[in-house]
Amino acid sequence: MSHHLFLLSPSDTPIYSLTHYTSKPTQTTSYPLSSNLPTWSTSAFAGTLTALSGASSATQSHHVQGGSTKMGGGQDRHVIQMIANASLDMIEEVMRKESAMYLKSVDKFNEWTVSAFVTPGNMKFILLHETKNDEGMRSFFHEVWELYLKTMLNPFHTAHTPIRSTVFDTRVRASAKKYL
């Protein structure tokens, strides 16, 4: 399973992004067309069945080091960015209705759920995820917000510019591993 975090400035300029893969085993997707075929025949027609069942080839999984499974290749990154960008309108709509900082699930696109966190300074933290863990995501967003504030307090960092701090990145990754 993967989680994708985007930090956007008030002008919706991306200043940080993170893709986090959990070590938990992923669930295999069962395609309706393959359920009627014997198991020996589905491996030969896996690409055809995927195409016929409406799944995109960009979300097919492949194996990496350590035996864990990660999602797609280069095309997958563009789809993730498109989903996050498309959800900005929904985030603005929910912000008008609710006064909370943690907006929970604001949008859904195929298997991806979009959760958001908006700071008082109108910074948007967008998280794309496949599983629902509201309390863990809330804690994750609060910890990332604290890390962001510490970075903004650094006199050598200019506000609303990309965050390139390795310390910030390491701590966000540790927080993602802890809560997601």
Side-chain angles (χ1 to χ4, degrees):
M1 284 183 261
S2 59
H3 299 86
H4 304 276
L5 173 70
F6 298 94
L7 272 62
L8 302 174
S9 71
S11 63
D12 295 335
T13 305
I15 63 170
Y16 179 79
S17 66
L18 169 75
T19 299
H20 171 72
Y21 296 100
T22 61
S23 58
K24 298 173 187 172
T26 59
Q27 298 175 353
T28 58
T29 305
S30 174
Y31 298 111
L33 295 174
S34 64
S35 61
N36 296 330
L37 297 174
T39 57
W40 58 267
S41 67
T42 57
S43 62
F45 301 107
T48 306
L49 289 174
T50 301
L52 290 174
S53 65
S56 71
S57 61
T59 58
Q60 290 180 2
S61 59
H62 64 280
H63 294 284
V64 294
Q65 293 178 355
S68 63
T69 305
K70 291 187 181 181
M71 296 302 289
Q75 288 182 335
D76 208 25
R77 184 74 182 158
H78 298 295
V79 173
I80 299 296
Q81 289 174 348
M82 185 265 317
I83 295 168
N85 194 17
S87 69
L88 288 174
D89 291 334
M90 292 301 297
I91 292 170
E92 294 287 336
E93 187 176 315
V94 173
M95 281 173 49
R96 279 187 231 117
K97 295 177 183 176
E98 296 183 23
S99 61
M101 291 171 55
Y102 176 52
L103 303 178
K104 295 187 180 180
S105 176
V106 294
D107 201 5
K108 187 158 177 69
F109 183 83
N110 290 343
E111 73 271 8
W112 295 104
T113 302
V114 179
S115 295
F117 183 89
V118 182
T119 68
N122 204 24
M123 283 289 300
K124 295 172 191 79
F125 298 178
I126 300 172
L127 182 69
L128 275 67
H129 53 93
E130 299 168 289
T131 60
K132 188 172 182 175
N133 178 9
D134 282 338
E135 195 55 41
M137 283 186 279
R138 178 187 300 269
S139 300
F140 173 70
F141 276 134
H142 278 282
E143 195 160 312
V144 171
W145 183 34
E146 288 178 16
L147 293 169
Y148 171 74
L149 289 175
K150 289 177 182 177
T151 302
M152 290 301 112
L153 290 173
N154 182 348
F156 299 109
H157 182 78
T158 306
H160 310 303
T161 59
I163 299 172
R164 292 185 171 85
S165 169
T166 56
V167 173
F168 179 82
D169 185 59
T170 303
R171 290 184 178 167
V172 169
R173 289 179 187 276
S175 180
K177 190 174 186 179
K178 180 178 177 182
Y179 293 113
L180 303 178

